[in-house]
Amino acid sequence: AKESGRGSLYFYNDEMRNSVAERLAMEKALHYALERDEFYLVYQPQVDGNGNILGFEALLRWHSKELGQVPPSRFIPIAEETGFIAELGQWVLDTACQQLKKWQEAGLPPLFKALAINISPSQFAKDSFVETIEQVIERTCIDPSLLDLEITEGMLVESISSVAAKMRSLKKQQVHFSIDDFGTGYSSLRYLQHLPLDQLKIDQSFVRDISHDPNSHVIINTIVSMARHMNLSVLAEGVEYVEEKNILTGIGCTRFQGYYFSRPVDVQSATNLLANASCL
Ligand code: C2E
Ligand code: CA
Ligand code: CA
Ligand code: CA
């Protein structure tokens, strides 16, 4: 298909054509998904070394009428690019905080520390971000110290000082911040130096390799000891096997999240987990 002429305008291949069509379909479907109530949250436990629940991470799910179940890794980047993430992020905040309020009222287990919510870079970048969080706290009457906002390096499109200023005003109200996917970015160490963080989440790519790759072991070891010196908590993500948990424990990691402990679960199962933990 090296023909010149009219055909040559269509320089992309079938795969690319599919992905363009697919993307358009997804943009369109996303547009209606909120009003059609197609989004829901699942909750993945974060635990200590004995499996006690320290918190949950709220994770977004989309069941589209046209497209079926679409993973967040596919629709969130599109929502980011189209600006839809603003509305969607607000929905996640509202829904997660309303749920936290219910759990708070039912009585949380003694070790429960936080509900973690993912904040996208463009959500954080809004001038109104601090106000948005303050408003949801007020509206839902949650204990702000139970909120753990997960941010990523994508945040640094703004200057570090303005990112830090936003974080400090929320930290005055006891809101916590974790840095997500730690170690995968280019300027991770600059965060540590300048941002008022509470916790590092070690990316699952390091955890995945820990039992066979000495370098991953060294990297995690370094992250854990650095965090300890800076008075930050560390949580290891993507723990799938008991060997990984044991190695991480040996290194000094005390917080875990991953399939070995639990997959993300629906709200009813999460509520049951909390109820059972309270009885212990
Ligand atoms: P993330 O924030 O790094 O979330 C952790 C992802 O790892 C989740 O994927 C979770 O289901 C998965 N995971 C947990 N334990 C294991 C494990 O042991 N093994 C493996 N292989 N995976 C594990 P999920 O739910 O598909 O979310 C993917 C990404 O989408 C998230 O990565 C986050 O960046 C984004 N995301 C999800 N929900 C939201 C949201 O409400 N808002 C925003 N802005 N982003 C979200
Ligand atoms: Ca996260
Ligand atoms: Ca992560
Ligand atoms: Ca990730």
Side-chain angles (χ1 to χ4, degrees), residues 198-245:
D198 298 285
Q199 176 170 269
L200 311 182
K201 295 189 79 178
I202 300 176
D203 191 65
Q204 58 189 47
S205 57
F206 300 114
V207 173
R208 193 183 304 129
D209 295 337
I210 196 170
S211 52
H212 55 270
D213 176 11
N215 287 336
S216 291
H217 196 284
V218 171
I219 288 169
I220 293 185
N221 214 326
T222 306
I223 293 174
V224 170
S225 93
M226 200 166 57
R228 188 180 300 133
H229 288 298
M230 300 180 97
N231 241 330
L232 301 171
S233 304
V234 180
L235 183 148
E237 286 195 280
V239 182
E240 294 185 353
Y241 301 101
V242 67
E243 304 86 69
E244 292 168 347
K245 184 220 158 188

mmCIF file of all heavy atoms in Angstrom, residues 198-245:
data_model
loop_
_atom_site.group_PDB
_atom_site.id
_atom_site.type_symbol
_atom_site.label_atom_id
_atom_site.label_comp_id
_atom_site.label_asym_id
_atom_site.label_seq_id
_atom_site.Cartn_x
_atom_site.Cartn_y
_atom_site.Cartn_z
ATOM 1 N N ASP A 198 3.197 12.652 54.108
ATOM 2 C CA ASP A 198 3.072 11.753 55.249
ATOM 3 C C ASP A 198 3.546 10.345 54.916
ATOM 4 O O ASP A 198 4.012 9.619 55.778
ATOM 5 C CB ASP A 198 1.608 11.679 55.693
ATOM 6 C CG ASP A 198 1.112 13.042 56.137
ATOM 7 O OD1 ASP A 198 1.491 13.468 57.231
ATOM 8 O OD2 ASP A 198 0.373 13.690 55.359
ATOM 9 N N GLN A 199 3.378 9.951 53.667
ATOM 10 C CA GLN A 199 3.640 8.552 53.316
ATOM 11 C C GLN A 199 4.126 8.399 51.885
ATOM 12 O O GLN A 199 3.699 9.114 50.987
ATOM 13 C CB GLN A 199 2.330 7.757 53.502
ATOM 14 C CG GLN A 199 2.395 6.310 53.086
ATOM 15 C CD GLN A 199 1.167 5.539 53.530
ATOM 16 O OE1 GLN A 199 1.143 4.968 54.617
ATOM 17 N NE2 GLN A 199 0.139 5.490 52.688
ATOM 18 N N LEU A 200 5.008 7.434 51.678
ATOM 19 C CA LEU A 200 5.427 7.034 50.331
ATOM 20 C C LEU A 200 4.793 5.697 50.010
ATOM 21 O O LEU A 200 4.828 4.780 50.819
ATOM 22 C CB LEU A 200 6.945 6.838 50.264
ATOM 23 C CG LEU A 200 7.861 7.916 50.819
ATOM 24 C CD1 LEU A 200 9.314 7.505 50.600
ATOM 25 C CD2 LEU A 200 7.560 9.233 50.136
ATOM 26 N N LYS A 201 4.229 5.584 48.833
ATOM 27 C CA LYS A 201 3.740 4.287 48.379
ATOM 28 C C LYS A 201 4.734 3.750 47.359
ATOM 29 O O LYS A 201 4.891 4.309 46.275
ATOM 30 C CB LYS A 201 2.342 4.424 47.753
ATOM 31 C CG LYS A 201 1.283 4.870 48.756
ATOM 32 C CD LYS A 201 -0.109 4.779 48.155
ATOM 33 C CE LYS A 201 -0.638 3.345 48.155
ATOM 34 N NZ LYS A 201 -2.020 3.277 47.621
ATOM 35 N N ILE A 202 5.418 2.679 47.729
ATOM 36 C CA ILE A 202 6.412 2.083 46.837
ATOM 37 C C ILE A 202 5.700 1.418 45.672
ATOM 38 O O ILE A 202 4.828 0.565 45.868
ATOM 39 C CB ILE A 202 7.266 1.029 47.563
ATOM 40 C CG1 ILE A 202 7.999 1.672 48.735
ATOM 41 C CG2 ILE A 202 8.240 0.366 46.594
ATOM 42 C CD1 ILE A 202 8.788 0.672 49.561
ATOM 43 N N ASP A 203 6.070 1.799 44.474
ATOM 44 C CA ASP A 203 5.377 1.311 43.296
ATOM 45 C C ASP A 203 5.480 -0.202 43.157
ATOM 46 O O ASP A 203 6.494 -0.810 43.488
ATOM 47 C CB ASP A 203 5.940 1.968 42.042
ATOM 48 C CG ASP A 203 5.067 1.686 40.840
ATOM 49 O OD1 ASP A 203 3.912 2.146 40.842
ATOM 50 O OD2 ASP A 203 5.519 0.972 39.918
ATOM 51 N N GLN A 204 4.426 -0.793 42.615
ATOM 52 C CA GLN A 204 4.390 -2.246 42.512
ATOM 53 C C GLN A 204 5.441 -2.812 41.565
ATOM 54 O O GLN A 204 5.792 -3.987 41.663
ATOM 55 C CB GLN A 204 2.989 -2.751 42.160
ATOM 56 C CG GLN A 204 2.405 -2.216 40.881
ATOM 57 C CD GLN A 204 0.928 -2.616 40.765
ATOM 58 O OE1 GLN A 204 0.140 -2.488 41.683
ATOM 59 N NE2 GLN A 204 0.562 -3.134 39.614
ATOM 60 N N SER A 205 5.984 -1.993 40.680
ATOM 61 C CA SER A 205 7.017 -2.516 39.779
ATOM 62 C C SER A 205 8.259 -2.949 40.563
ATOM 63 O O SER A 205 8.934 -3.914 40.181
ATOM 64 C CB SER A 205 7.386 -1.471 38.728
ATOM 65 O OG SER A 205 7.818 -0.271 39.331
ATOM 66 N N PHE A 206 8.572 -2.266 41.652
ATOM 67 C CA PHE A 206 9.717 -2.676 42.479
ATOM 68 C C PHE A 206 9.387 -3.920 43.288
ATOM 69 O O PHE A 206 10.208 -4.818 43.437
ATOM 70 C CB PHE A 206 10.140 -1.556 43.426
ATOM 71 C CG PHE A 206 10.558 -0.301 42.723
ATOM 72 C CD1 PHE A 206 9.824 0.861 42.852
ATOM 73 C CD2 PHE A 206 11.685 -0.299 41.897
ATOM 74 C CE1 PHE A 206 10.202 2.018 42.181
ATOM 75 C CE2 PHE A 206 12.072 0.847 41.235
ATOM 76 C CZ PHE A 206 11.324 2.011 41.372
ATOM 77 N N VAL A 207 8.144 -3.941 43.809
ATOM 78 C CA VAL A 207 7.723 -5.074 44.634
ATOM 79 C C VAL A 207 7.692 -6.357 43.805
ATOM 80 O O VAL A 207 8.116 -7.413 44.247
ATOM 81 C CB VAL A 207 6.341 -4.792 45.262
ATOM 82 C CG1 VAL A 207 5.811 -6.015 45.988
ATOM 83 C CG2 VAL A 207 6.426 -3.587 46.194
ATOM 84 N N ARG A 208 7.214 -6.225 42.577
ATOM 85 C CA ARG A 208 7.081 -7.373 41.685
ATOM 86 C C ARG A 208 8.418 -8.102 41.502
ATOM 87 O O ARG A 208 8.482 -9.312 41.369
ATOM 88 C CB ARG A 208 6.547 -6.908 40.323
ATOM 89 C CG ARG A 208 6.071 -8.004 39.417
ATOM 90 C CD ARG A 208 5.626 -7.455 38.061
ATOM 91 N NE ARG A 208 4.591 -6.434 38.191
ATOM 92 C CZ ARG A 208 4.637 -5.235 37.611
ATOM 93 N NH1 ARG A 208 5.659 -4.904 36.852
ATOM 94 N NH2 ARG A 208 3.669 -4.365 37.791
ATOM 95 N N ASP A 209 9.506 -7.331 41.478
ATOM 96 C CA ASP A 209 10.817 -7.907 41.179
ATOM 97 C C ASP A 209 11.625 -8.266 42.422
ATOM 98 O O ASP A 209 12.732 -8.796 42.312
ATOM 99 C CB ASP A 209 11.639 -6.911 40.345
ATOM 100 C CG ASP A 209 11.013 -6.669 38.989
ATOM 101 O OD1 ASP A 209 10.247 -7.538 38.538
ATOM 102 O OD2 ASP A 209 11.267 -5.614 38.392
ATOM 103 N N ILE A 210 11.079 -7.986 43.574
ATOM 104 C CA ILE A 210 11.921 -7.997 44.767
ATOM 105 C C ILE A 210 12.519 -9.369 45.094
ATOM 106 O O ILE A 210 13.652 -9.462 45.576
ATOM 107 C CB ILE A 210 11.157 -7.432 45.994
ATOM 108 C CG1 ILE A 210 12.151 -7.089 47.105
ATOM 109 C CG2 ILE A 210 10.101 -8.395 46.496
ATOM 110 C CD1 ILE A 210 11.552 -6.323 48.240
ATOM 111 N N SER A 211 11.788 -10.449 44.787
ATOM 112 C CA SER A 211 12.291 -11.752 45.200
ATOM 113 C C SER A 211 13.393 -12.289 44.282
ATOM 114 O O SER A 211 14.131 -13.181 44.641
ATOM 115 C CB SER A 211 11.141 -12.756 45.320
ATOM 116 O OG SER A 211 10.380 -12.751 44.147
ATOM 117 N N HIS A 212 13.547 -11.728 43.075
ATOM 118 C CA HIS A 212 14.595 -12.232 42.182
ATOM 119 C C HIS A 212 15.575 -11.174 41.685
ATOM 120 O O HIS A 212 16.598 -11.505 41.098
ATOM 121 C CB HIS A 212 13.971 -12.969 40.990
ATOM 122 C CG HIS A 212 12.985 -12.126 40.252
ATOM 123 N ND1 HIS A 212 11.647 -12.110 40.572
ATOM 124 C CD2 HIS A 212 13.145 -11.272 39.237
ATOM 125 C CE1 HIS A 212 11.025 -11.273 39.766
ATOM 126 N NE2 HIS A 212 11.908 -10.753 38.957
ATOM 127 N N ASP A 213 15.274 -9.910 41.910
ATOM 128 C CA ASP A 213 16.158 -8.873 41.391
ATOM 129 C C ASP A 213 16.822 -8.106 42.538
ATOM 130 O O ASP A 213 16.169 -7.352 43.252
ATOM 131 C CB ASP A 213 15.339 -7.915 40.510
ATOM 132 C CG ASP A 213 16.160 -6.731 40.002
ATOM 133 O OD1 ASP A 213 17.402 -6.747 40.152
ATOM 134 O OD2 ASP A 213 15.556 -5.792 39.464
ATOM 135 N N PRO A 214 18.134 -8.311 42.708
ATOM 136 C CA PRO A 214 18.837 -7.645 43.813
ATOM 137 C C PRO A 214 18.698 -6.120 43.753
ATOM 138 O O PRO A 214 18.663 -5.459 44.788
ATOM 139 C CB PRO A 214 20.305 -8.049 43.604
ATOM 140 C CG PRO A 214 20.289 -9.201 42.678
ATOM 141 C CD PRO A 214 19.026 -9.144 41.896
ATOM 142 N N ASN A 215 18.614 -5.566 42.546
ATOM 143 C CA ASN A 215 18.504 -4.111 42.435
ATOM 144 C C ASN A 215 17.205 -3.581 43.044
ATOM 145 O O ASN A 215 17.195 -2.549 43.704
ATOM 146 C CB ASN A 215 18.597 -3.678 40.974
ATOM 147 C CG ASN A 215 20.013 -3.809 40.448
ATOM 148 O OD1 ASN A 215 20.967 -3.786 41.225
ATOM 149 N ND2 ASN A 215 20.151 -3.958 39.145
ATOM 150 N N SER A 216 16.108 -4.297 42.796
ATOM 151 C CA SER A 216 14.832 -3.879 43.391
ATOM 152 C C SER A 216 14.913 -3.910 44.903
ATOM 153 O O SER A 216 14.377 -3.051 45.597
ATOM 154 C CB SER A 216 13.690 -4.784 42.933
ATOM 155 O OG SER A 216 13.429 -4.569 41.583
ATOM 156 N N HIS A 217 15.591 -4.955 45.385
ATOM 157 C CA HIS A 217 15.780 -5.092 46.819
ATOM 158 C C HIS A 217 16.516 -3.872 47.378
ATOM 159 O O HIS A 217 16.105 -3.248 48.362
ATOM 160 C CB HIS A 217 16.552 -6.384 47.102
ATOM 161 C CG HIS A 217 16.479 -6.830 48.522
ATOM 162 N ND1 HIS A 217 17.204 -6.212 49.520
ATOM 163 C CD2 HIS A 217 15.761 -7.817 49.117
ATOM 164 C CE1 HIS A 217 16.936 -6.814 50.671
ATOM 165 N NE2 HIS A 217 16.063 -7.784 50.459
ATOM 166 N N VAL A 218 17.591 -3.506 46.716
ATOM 167 C CA VAL A 218 18.382 -2.351 47.148
ATOM 168 C C VAL A 218 17.553 -1.067 47.089
ATOM 169 O O VAL A 218 17.585 -0.238 48.005
ATOM 170 C CB VAL A 218 19.657 -2.197 46.280
ATOM 171 C CG1 VAL A 218 20.364 -0.878 46.569
ATOM 172 C CG2 VAL A 218 20.595 -3.368 46.499
ATOM 173 N N ILE A 219 16.790 -0.915 46.014
ATOM 174 C CA ILE A 219 15.988 0.309 45.859
ATOM 175 C C ILE A 219 14.962 0.427 46.987
ATOM 176 O O ILE A 219 14.816 1.473 47.624
ATOM 177 C CB ILE A 219 15.302 0.342 44.475
ATOM 178 C CG1 ILE A 219 16.352 0.602 43.381
ATOM 179 C CG2 ILE A 219 14.215 1.416 44.422
ATOM 180 C CD1 ILE A 219 15.850 0.404 41.967
ATOM 181 N N ILE A 220 14.265 -0.678 47.255
ATOM 182 C CA ILE A 220 13.252 -0.623 48.317
ATOM 183 C C ILE A 220 13.903 -0.381 49.670
ATOM 184 O O ILE A 220 13.430 0.422 50.475
ATOM 185 C CB ILE A 220 12.396 -1.908 48.330
ATOM 186 C CG1 ILE A 220 11.563 -1.972 47.049
ATOM 187 C CG2 ILE A 220 11.481 -1.933 49.558
ATOM 188 C CD1 ILE A 220 10.585 -3.108 46.979
ATOM 189 N N ASN A 221 15.004 -1.058 49.902
ATOM 190 C CA ASN A 221 15.756 -0.854 51.133
ATOM 191 C C ASN A 221 16.100 0.620 51.328
ATOM 192 O O ASN A 221 15.931 1.202 52.404
ATOM 193 C CB ASN A 221 17.044 -1.684 51.059
ATOM 194 C CG ASN A 221 17.440 -2.213 52.412
ATOM 195 O OD1 ASN A 221 17.218 -1.541 53.415
ATOM 196 N ND2 ASN A 221 18.012 -3.404 52.451
ATOM 197 N N THR A 222 16.573 1.228 50.260
ATOM 198 C CA THR A 222 16.961 2.640 50.311
ATOM 199 C C THR A 222 15.754 3.537 50.564
ATOM 200 O O THR A 222 15.812 4.465 51.373
ATOM 201 C CB THR A 222 17.650 3.032 48.985
ATOM 202 O OG1 THR A 222 18.728 2.123 48.752
ATOM 203 C CG2 THR A 222 18.170 4.455 49.032
ATOM 204 N N ILE A 223 14.650 3.241 49.880
ATOM 205 C CA ILE A 223 13.435 4.045 50.073
ATOM 206 C C ILE A 223 12.967 3.950 51.524
ATOM 207 O O ILE A 223 12.642 4.961 52.159
ATOM 208 C CB ILE A 223 12.300 3.582 49.121
ATOM 209 C CG1 ILE A 223 12.659 3.884 47.664
ATOM 210 C CG2 ILE A 223 10.981 4.267 49.487
ATOM 211 C CD1 ILE A 223 11.661 3.332 46.651
ATOM 212 N N VAL A 224 12.974 2.728 52.060
ATOM 213 C CA VAL A 224 12.479 2.536 53.430
ATOM 214 C C VAL A 224 13.368 3.273 54.430
ATOM 215 O O VAL A 224 12.870 3.955 55.335
ATOM 216 C CB VAL A 224 12.379 1.030 53.780
ATOM 217 C CG1 VAL A 224 12.101 0.836 55.266
ATOM 218 C CG2 VAL A 224 11.286 0.362 52.945
ATOM 219 N N SER A 225 14.692 3.175 54.234
ATOM 220 C CA SER A 225 15.551 3.821 55.231
ATOM 221 C C SER A 225 15.496 5.343 55.090
ATOM 222 O O SER A 225 15.487 6.074 56.076
ATOM 223 C CB SER A 225 16.974 3.259 55.164
ATOM 224 O OG SER A 225 17.780 4.025 54.328
ATOM 225 N N MET A 226 15.391 5.820 53.874
ATOM 226 C CA MET A 226 15.247 7.256 53.647
ATOM 227 C C MET A 226 13.967 7.763 54.305
ATOM 228 O O MET A 226 13.957 8.783 54.992
ATOM 229 C CB MET A 226 15.181 7.495 52.137
ATOM 230 C CG MET A 226 15.490 8.881 51.693
ATOM 231 S SD MET A 226 15.785 8.900 49.901
ATOM 232 C CE MET A 226 14.276 8.208 49.269
ATOM 233 N N ALA A 227 12.885 7.026 54.102
ATOM 234 C CA ALA A 227 11.594 7.419 54.682
ATOM 235 C C ALA A 227 11.673 7.456 56.201
ATOM 236 O O ALA A 227 11.157 8.378 56.839
ATOM 237 C CB ALA A 227 10.501 6.448 54.230
ATOM 238 N N ARG A 228 12.349 6.471 56.764
ATOM 239 C CA ARG A 228 12.455 6.415 58.213
ATOM 240 C C ARG A 228 13.173 7.659 58.740
ATOM 241 O O ARG A 228 12.736 8.297 59.684
ATOM 242 C CB ARG A 228 13.193 5.138 58.635
ATOM 243 C CG ARG A 228 13.182 4.899 60.146
ATOM 244 C CD ARG A 228 13.910 3.625 60.518
ATOM 245 N NE ARG A 228 13.312 2.435 59.913
ATOM 246 C CZ ARG A 228 13.994 1.481 59.282
ATOM 247 N NH1 ARG A 228 15.309 1.593 59.140
ATOM 248 N NH2 ARG A 228 13.381 0.440 58.773
ATOM 249 N N HIS A 229 14.270 8.030 58.064
ATOM 250 C CA HIS A 229 15.020 9.202 58.492
ATOM 251 C C HIS A 229 14.210 10.483 58.339
ATOM 252 O O HIS A 229 14.432 11.457 59.031
ATOM 253 C CB HIS A 229 16.326 9.324 57.699
ATOM 254 C CG HIS A 229 17.338 8.304 58.092
ATOM 255 N ND1 HIS A 229 17.856 8.227 59.361
ATOM 256 C CD2 HIS A 229 17.920 7.301 57.390
ATOM 257 C CE1 HIS A 229 18.710 7.225 59.421
ATOM 258 N NE2 HIS A 229 18.767 6.643 58.230
ATOM 259 N N MET A 230 13.275 10.485 57.383
ATOM 260 C CA MET A 230 12.475 11.689 57.160
ATOM 261 C C MET A 230 11.137 11.622 57.860
ATOM 262 O O MET A 230 10.279 12.478 57.653
ATOM 263 C CB MET A 230 12.278 11.886 55.651
ATOM 264 C CG MET A 230 13.592 12.053 54.925
ATOM 265 S SD MET A 230 13.362 12.274 53.168
ATOM 266 C CE MET A 230 13.430 14.061 53.082
ATOM 267 N N ASN A 231 10.971 10.595 58.684
ATOM 268 C CA ASN A 231 9.743 10.472 59.451
ATOM 269 C C ASN A 231 8.492 10.269 58.592
ATOM 270 O O ASN A 231 7.415 10.754 58.920
ATOM 271 C CB ASN A 231 9.537 11.713 60.308
ATOM 272 C CG ASN A 231 9.508 11.340 61.766
ATOM 273 O OD1 ASN A 231 9.087 10.223 62.104
ATOM 274 N ND2 ASN A 231 9.941 12.242 62.616
ATOM 275 N N LEU A 232 8.661 9.564 57.486
ATOM 276 C CA LEU A 232 7.531 9.277 56.611
ATOM 277 C C LEU A 232 7.149 7.815 56.740
ATOM 278 O O LEU A 232 8.011 6.959 56.960
ATOM 279 C CB LEU A 232 7.902 9.545 55.144
ATOM 280 C CG LEU A 232 8.337 10.952 54.772
ATOM 281 C CD1 LEU A 232 8.862 10.975 53.342
ATOM 282 C CD2 LEU A 232 7.155 11.908 54.920
ATOM 283 N N SER A 233 5.872 7.513 56.615
ATOM 284 C CA SER A 233 5.441 6.119 56.539
ATOM 285 C C SER A 233 5.730 5.584 55.142
ATOM 286 O O SER A 233 5.822 6.350 54.182
ATOM 287 C CB SER A 233 3.942 6.007 56.808
ATOM 288 O OG SER A 233 3.623 6.577 58.038
ATOM 289 N N VAL A 234 5.847 4.265 55.052
ATOM 290 C CA VAL A 234 6.035 3.621 53.755
ATOM 291 C C VAL A 234 4.988 2.541 53.602
ATOM 292 O O VAL A 234 4.755 1.765 54.523
ATOM 293 C CB VAL A 234 7.419 2.952 53.655
ATOM 294 C CG1 VAL A 234 7.586 2.284 52.294
ATOM 295 C CG2 VAL A 234 8.527 3.954 53.879
ATOM 296 N N LEU A 235 4.359 2.496 52.458
ATOM 297 C CA LEU A 235 3.425 1.414 52.163
ATOM 298 C C LEU A 235 3.864 0.747 50.864
ATOM 299 O O LEU A 235 4.143 1.430 49.886
ATOM 300 C CB LEU A 235 1.997 1.962 52.046
ATOM 301 C CG LEU A 235 0.881 0.946 51.813
ATOM 302 C CD1 LEU A 235 -0.424 1.412 52.465
ATOM 303 C CD2 LEU A 235 0.630 0.684 50.321
ATOM 304 N N ALA A 236 3.969 -0.581 50.890
ATOM 305 C CA ALA A 236 4.346 -1.312 49.679
ATOM 306 C C ALA A 236 3.090 -1.726 48.928
ATOM 307 O O ALA A 236 2.190 -2.343 49.489
ATOM 308 C CB ALA A 236 5.176 -2.544 50.039
ATOM 309 N N GLU A 237 3.039 -1.383 47.637
ATOM 310 C CA GLU A 237 1.887 -1.691 46.801
ATOM 311 C C GLU A 237 2.113 -2.958 45.995
ATOM 312 O O GLU A 237 3.250 -3.332 45.714
ATOM 313 C CB GLU A 237 1.690 -0.581 45.763
ATOM 314 C CG GLU A 237 1.133 0.697 46.263
ATOM 315 C CD GLU A 237 0.673 1.530 45.069
ATOM 316 O OE1 GLU A 237 1.509 2.172 44.426
ATOM 317 O OE2 GLU A 237 -0.535 1.510 44.802
ATOM 318 N N GLY A 238 1.040 -3.585 45.593
ATOM 319 C CA GLY A 238 1.137 -4.704 44.661
ATOM 320 C C GLY A 238 1.783 -5.943 45.252
ATOM 321 O O GLY A 238 2.452 -6.701 44.542
ATOM 322 N N VAL A 239 1.595 -6.160 46.555
ATOM 323 C CA VAL A 239 2.146 -7.360 47.195
ATOM 324 C C VAL A 239 1.254 -8.551 46.843
ATOM 325 O O VAL A 239 0.086 -8.581 47.228
ATOM 326 C CB VAL A 239 2.215 -7.188 48.727
ATOM 327 C CG1 VAL A 239 2.827 -8.416 49.378
ATOM 328 C CG2 VAL A 239 2.997 -5.933 49.085
ATOM 329 N N GLU A 240 1.805 -9.492 46.090
ATOM 330 C CA GLU A 240 0.985 -10.614 45.612
ATOM 331 C C GLU A 240 1.324 -11.935 46.283
ATOM 332 O O GLU A 240 0.510 -12.858 46.294
ATOM 333 C CB GLU A 240 1.140 -10.761 44.089
ATOM 334 C CG GLU A 240 0.569 -9.581 43.324
ATOM 335 C CD GLU A 240 0.618 -9.769 41.805
ATOM 336 O OE1 GLU A 240 1.219 -10.767 41.353
ATOM 337 O OE2 GLU A 240 0.065 -8.904 41.110
ATOM 338 N N TYR A 241 2.533 -12.063 46.815
ATOM 339 C CA TYR A 241 2.977 -13.347 47.358
ATOM 340 C C TYR A 241 3.518 -13.201 48.769
ATOM 341 O O TYR A 241 4.082 -12.156 49.118
ATOM 342 C CB TYR A 241 4.054 -13.969 46.462
ATOM 343 C CG TYR A 241 3.579 -14.200 45.059
ATOM 344 C CD1 TYR A 241 3.935 -13.326 44.037
ATOM 345 C CD2 TYR A 241 2.731 -15.272 44.764
ATOM 346 C CE1 TYR A 241 3.474 -13.519 42.744
ATOM 347 C CE2 TYR A 241 2.257 -15.470 43.476
ATOM 348 C CZ TYR A 241 2.637 -14.590 42.469
ATOM 349 O OH TYR A 241 2.170 -14.775 41.196
ATOM 350 N N VAL A 242 3.419 -14.274 49.527
ATOM 351 C CA VAL A 242 3.880 -14.241 50.913
ATOM 352 C C VAL A 242 5.379 -13.983 50.981
ATOM 353 O O VAL A 242 5.859 -13.271 51.864
ATOM 354 C CB VAL A 242 3.473 -15.527 51.677
ATOM 355 C CG1 VAL A 242 4.204 -16.749 51.121
ATOM 356 C CG2 VAL A 242 3.750 -15.380 53.172
ATOM 357 N N GLU A 243 6.139 -14.493 49.980
ATOM 358 C CA GLU A 243 7.589 -14.246 49.989
ATOM 359 C C GLU A 243 7.872 -12.749 49.896
ATOM 360 O O GLU A 243 8.787 -12.235 50.542
ATOM 361 C CB GLU A 243 8.299 -14.939 48.816
ATOM 362 C CG GLU A 243 8.088 -16.448 48.704
ATOM 363 C CD GLU A 243 6.830 -16.792 47.934
ATOM 364 O OE1 GLU A 243 6.803 -16.545 46.708
ATOM 365 O OE2 GLU A 243 5.863 -17.290 48.545
ATOM 366 N N GLU A 244 7.081 -12.075 49.057
ATOM 367 C CA GLU A 244 7.275 -10.626 48.922
ATOM 368 C C GLU A 244 7.006 -9.927 50.250
ATOM 369 O O GLU A 244 7.763 -9.062 50.688
ATOM 370 C CB GLU A 244 6.349 -10.065 47.834
ATOM 371 C CG GLU A 244 6.718 -10.545 46.437
ATOM 372 C CD GLU A 244 5.653 -10.231 45.392
ATOM 373 O OE1 GLU A 244 4.511 -9.856 45.756
ATOM 374 O OE2 GLU A 244 5.949 -10.394 44.200
ATOM 375 N N LYS A 245 5.922 -10.325 50.880
ATOM 376 C CA LYS A 245 5.580 -9.736 52.176
ATOM 377 C C LYS A 245 6.706 -9.968 53.184
ATOM 378 O O LYS A 245 7.084 -9.059 53.925
ATOM 379 C CB LYS A 245 4.275 -10.344 52.700
ATOM 380 C CG LYS A 245 3.807 -9.712 53.975
ATOM 381 C CD LYS A 245 3.254 -10.751 54.929
ATOM 382 C CE LYS A 245 3.294 -10.226 56.341
ATOM 383 N NZ LYS A 245 2.945 -11.249 57.319
#
